[in-house]
Amino acid sequence: MQVFWSRGYHATALPDLLRATKLSRGSLYAAFGDKHSLFLCALDRYIADALARMDIEFDPRRDPVDGLRSYFAGYVDRTSGAKGRRGCLLVATTMELAGQDADVNRRAAGFFKAMETRVAAALSRAKAAGKLADGVEPSSAARILVCFVEGLRVIAKTGPTPITSQATADALLDRFVR
């Protein structure tokens, strides 16, 4: 995953993967089939890790607004400094491959939909608790918030400060919650 994340799919060569996995060519092919299959495994792992993190942030036993704030704070942290300049494997992959690789497109679309579903559920819980601003519809707001955090991943590559990113995230979320 780290090699693909650092280099991108097309720029990653078999010798890079052999070094990273410490496998021989035959073992790598026996274990994963080919470069594309290995890449999809790495992408699946990245997605699973991201969804698991969101499940913790949006734990239904937690105050939903606190969960949303934690979600944004996590994105600000992951988009700051060297991590921010490195970027997001899924965003980079989507930009590089989604238009030409149906497997990648399906995974990216599924991830963004899963993210949107989790954010909408948190917003629905906030609404039920009377903590959502008047007129805010959870599913529409969730789409906006997902677009924001993924856009933050892109903008972060230019190096805004964490203070600026957090202030922007807070200002947006404050439009949706009381």
Side-chain angles (χ1 to χ4, degrees):
M1 183 171 65
Q2 298 299 326
V3 174
F4 286 121
W5 197 351
S6 296
R7 299 179 60 85
Y9 178 77
H10 288 301
T12 299
L14 183 60
D16 301 321
L17 297 171
L18 296 175
R19 272 191 304 280
T21 61
K22 297 182 175 78
L23 293 173
S24 68
R25 180 184 301 254
S27 295
L28 185 104
Y29 284 125
F32 299 102
D34 58 17
K35 174 183 166 181
H36 188 256
S37 295
L38 174 58
F39 178 72
L40 293 177
C41 287
L43 192 58
D44 288 344
R45 167 81 184 270
Y46 186 87
I47 290 169
D49 290 349
L51 293 176
R53 185 176 53 250
M54 279 184 258
D55 288 340
I56 292 167
E57 292 164 344
F58 293 132
D59 185 328
R61 296 169 295 190
R62 182 178 196 182
D63 176 82
V65 174
D66 289 346
L68 287 160
R69 292 202 186 281
S70 176
Y71 170 71
F72 277 114
Y75 264 88
V76 168
D77 179 60
R78 287 185 295 281
T79 60
S80 299
K83 290 182 282 187
R85 286 186 298 281
R86 182 177 194 199
C88 170
L89 175 62
L90 190 65
V91 169
T93 296
T94 301
M95 298 305 293
E96 181 182 7
L97 297 174
Q100 56 194 330
D101 185 319
D103 292 322
V104 168
N105 190 61
R106 225 178 354 269
R107 282 166 170 81
F111 173 74
F112 294 134
K113 185 63 180 168
M115 180 189 292
E116 189 178 301
T117 298
R118 284 162 171 79
V119 173
L123 290 166
S124 291
R125 287 192 310 278
K127 185 174 187 171
K131 295 182 176 185
L132 208 57
D134 292 337
V136 174
E137 198 280 310
S139 61
S140 295
R143 280 190 293 282
I144 292 166
L145 295 173
V146 167
C147 287
F148 170 78
V149 296
E150 293 309 325
L152 185 63
R153 301 289 279 212
V154 174
I155 299 297
K157 291 186 75 71
T158 66
T161 68
I163 292 169
T164 300
S165 295
Q166 188 64 58
T168 305
D170 290 343
L172 178 60
L173 186 57
D174 288 344
R175 302 281 187 260
F176 295 105
V177 299
R178 296 178 194 203

